[in-house]
Amino acid sequence: MIEFIKEMEKYAEEENIPIIERKSIDFINKLIEIQNVETVLEIGTAIGYSAIMMALANEKVKITTIEKDEKRYIEALKNIKKCGLESRINVVFQDALEVNMAGFNYDLIFIDAAKGQYIKYFDKFQYYLNEDGTIVTDNIGFHGLVGNKEQAGSKNLEKLVEKIENYIEFLKNNPDFVTKFYEVGDGLSVSIRKEK
Ligand code: SAH
Ligand code: MG
């Protein structure tokens, strides 16, 4: 299994697929354990790496993960099958902003798709979160560029950094959730509902 994980990491690097950093997934796995998380919704599967890492580390956990890119979706299915995790990881091939999963709720929602759409994901998927659930977002630091967007080097990248900065502001000012930010990996945020 360790060999296969390394293979996925190598594939991701070669194909330029931004999979989560080891430190970040370790952090999330600890959170899953401490909070007794049983159901996870992930936005942004890529090749299934983070979903597989969560499922391997936590026997109880069931994961639904959404991916809109067909090639990655197929690669993810293949990888999940190789690990024998088909019964615990369900991959949905669709744009997360178009998905309708009314009736389902999750203990943990992990946002890790298009950086420019973070606010939209949060606004939509908060309604799929259990009462004591947690929303985790990856790449909050964006390679050290958040807060230093003049170093981005291109207008496009600068715009993206700006969007993440807006997301951070959105989280800080959110009336319903309280958020902590962690400098682990590429930066993670952890949001839970405020007490009423
Ligand atoms: N969570 C993965 C990495 C995801 S990379 C891991 O750590 O292993 C981000 C992925 O989100 C990409 O594969 C991209 O195709 C997908 N994505 C981007 N916007 C999306 C959307 N609106 N709906 C579903 N998937 C999306
Ligand atoms: Mg990420």
Side-chain angles (χ1 to χ4, degrees), residues 149-161:
K149 63 170 181 285
E150 65 287 350
Q151 290 169 18
S154 82
K155 272 275 165 245
N156 271 349
L157 200 55
E158 205 173 299
K159 283 228 174 71
L160 213 50
V161 175

Side-chain angles (χ1 to χ4, degrees), residues 84-117:
L85 291 169
E86 308 97 295
S87 63
R88 291 201 289 130
I89 305 177
N90 172 32
V91 192
V92 177
F93 173 44
Q94 209 177 341
D95 189 315
L97 294 175
E98 286 164 16
V99 125
N100 181 351
M101 295 183 308
F104 288 94
N105 275 84
Y106 300 87
D107 299 325
L108 178 81
I109 296 178
F110 176 44
I111 298 178
D112 194 22
K115 314 304 164 218
Q117 301 182 326

Side-chain angles (χ1 to χ4, degrees), residues 58-73:
N58 303 280
E59 272 176 13
K60 281 193 307 194
V61 149
K62 283 203 169 199
I63 302 163
T64 296
T65 177
I66 309 172
E67 175 58 53
K68 69 169 186 183
D69 180 279
E70 187 167 22
K71 189 172 172 223
R72 292 184 180 177
Y73 163 72

Side-chain angles (χ1 to χ4, degrees), residues 8 12 16-21 25 42-54 65-70 72-73 92-99 110-115 117-118 121 125 138-139:
M8 280 192 290
N16 248 318
I17 298 165
I19 59 167
I20 194 162
E21 289 184 33
I25 198 69
E42 176 182 71
I43 322 297
T45 316
I47 60 169
Y49 177 80
S50 49
I52 289 170
M53 295 294 271
M54 286 188 263
T65 177
I66 309 172
E67 175 58 53
K68 69 169 186 183
D69 180 279
E70 187 167 22
R72 292 184 180 177
Y73 163 72
V92 177
F93 173 44
Q94 209 177 341
D95 189 315
L97 294 175
E98 286 164 16
V99 125
F110 176 44
I111 298 178
D112 194 22
K115 314 304 164 218
Q117 301 182 326
Y118 275 1
Y121 301 139
F125 290 103
D138 189 29
N139 308 102

Side-chain angles (χ1 to χ4, degrees), residues 28-187:
I28 292 172
N29 281 335
K30 217 162 273 163
L31 199 123
I32 288 176
E33 198 185 308
I34 293 167
Q35 302 194 342
N36 262 310
V37 167
E38 291 184 358
T39 50
V40 176
L41 175 66
E42 176 182 71
I43 322 297
T45 316
I47 60 169
Y49 177 80
S50 49
I52 289 170
M53 295 294 271
M54 286 188 263
L56 287 177
N58 303 280
E59 272 176 13
K60 281 193 307 194
V61 149
K62 283 203 169 199
I63 302 163
T64 296
T65 177
I66 309 172
E67 175 58 53
K68 69 169 186 183
D69 180 279
E70 187 167 22
K71 189 172 172 223
R72 292 184 180 177
Y73 163 72
I74 290 168
E75 194 63 32
L77 288 183
K78 211 169 75 189
N79 289 335
I80 290 161
K81 192 152 188 228
K82 264 195 193 149
C83 299
L85 291 169
E86 308 97 295
S87 63
R88 291 201 289 130
I89 305 177
N90 172 32
V91 192
V92 177
F93 173 44
Q94 209 177 341
D95 189 315
L97 294 175
E98 286 164 16
V99 125
N100 181 351
M101 295 183 308
F104 288 94
N105 275 84
Y106 300 87
D107 299 325
L108 178 81
I109 296 178
F110 176 44
I111 298 178
D112 194 22
K115 314 304 164 218
Q117 301 182 326
Y118 275 1
I119 294 179
K120 284 185 183 155
Y121 301 139
F122 194 102
D123 271 338
K124 171 171 180 169
F125 290 103
Q126 60 176 301
Y127 299 105
Y128 294 87
L129 188 68
N130 281 332
E131 194 54 40
D132 313 318
T134 309
I135 301 181
V136 174
T137 311
D138 189 29
N139 308 102
I140 284 296
F142 208 65
H143 319 297
L145 288 173
V146 163
N148 305 297
K149 63 170 181 285
E150 65 287 350
Q151 290 169 18
S154 82
K155 272 275 165 245
N156 271 349
L157 200 55
E158 205 173 299
K159 283 228 174 71
L160 213 50
V161 175
E162 224 163 77
K163 286 195 168 152
I164 297 178
E165 288 173 352
N166 290 344
Y167 181 64
I168 292 170
E169 278 313 298
F170 161 86
L171 291 176
K172 284 183 177 165
N173 299 314
N174 194 298
D176 302 317
F177 285 83
V178 50
T179 298
K180 281 192 176 165
F181 299 89
Y182 294 90
E183 282 184 28
V184 43
D186 196 24

